[in-house]
């Protein structure tokens, strides 16, 4: 029915993902589309770099990379992968 269709649309989740190349100690990825409600967001990075997410909002995610061997921050250029789900 029409009411079921409206409920289905209002509960639909939006997924966003992508590859971003950036550098520096503190990194920010701005989502292509802002969420009205964010359910989950995370960043991963290859090449033995660990990600430490320290800020998540409906518009962006803030994180740092470490080199994987100790707590030294990685400030070189690195490709990171974003995955976020919300509505």
């Amino acid at each position: 029915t029409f009411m079921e269709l409206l409920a289905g649309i209002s509960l639909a989740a939006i997924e966003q993902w992508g590859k971003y190349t950036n550098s520096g100690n503190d990194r920010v990825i701005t989502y292509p589309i802002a969420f009205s409600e964010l359910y989950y967001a995370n960043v991963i990075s290859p090449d033995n770099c660990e990600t430490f997410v320290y800020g998540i909002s409906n518009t962006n995610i803030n994180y740092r990379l470490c080199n994987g061997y100790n707590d030294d921050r990685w400030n070189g250029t690195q490709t990171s992968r974003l995955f976020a789900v919300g509505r």
Side-chain angles (χ1 to χ4, degrees):
T1 65
F2 185 71
M3 285 299 274
E4 291 169 343
L5 180 61
L6 286 177
I9 290 171
S10 66
L11 297 177
I14 298 171
E15 297 176 359
Q16 297 185 55
W17 62 91
K19 290 180 6 180
Y20 300 89
T21 302
N22 51 19
S23 62
N25 285 331
D26 294 304
R27 300 163 191 243
V28 178
I29 296 175
T30 301
Y31 311 133
I33 301 170
F35 292 102
S36 60
E37 186 175 356
L38 182 66
Y39 303 133
Y40 176 82
N42 201 3
V43 174
I44 60 171
S45 195
D47 301 330
N48 205 29
C49 286
E50 295 183 35
T51 56
F52 295 95
V53 175
Y54 65 89
I56 297 175
S57 74
N58 291 351
T59 57
N60 60 44
I61 187 167
N62 301 62
Y63 65 101
R64 294 185 181 107
L65 295 178
C66 289
N67 68 11
Y69 296 110
N70 53 39
D71 290 337
D72 292 340
R73 291 183 183 167
W74 176 275
N75 62 6
T77 301
Q78 185 71 23
T79 299
S80 302
R81 289 167 175 79
L82 164 73
F83 181 74
V85 179
R87 64 179 188 149

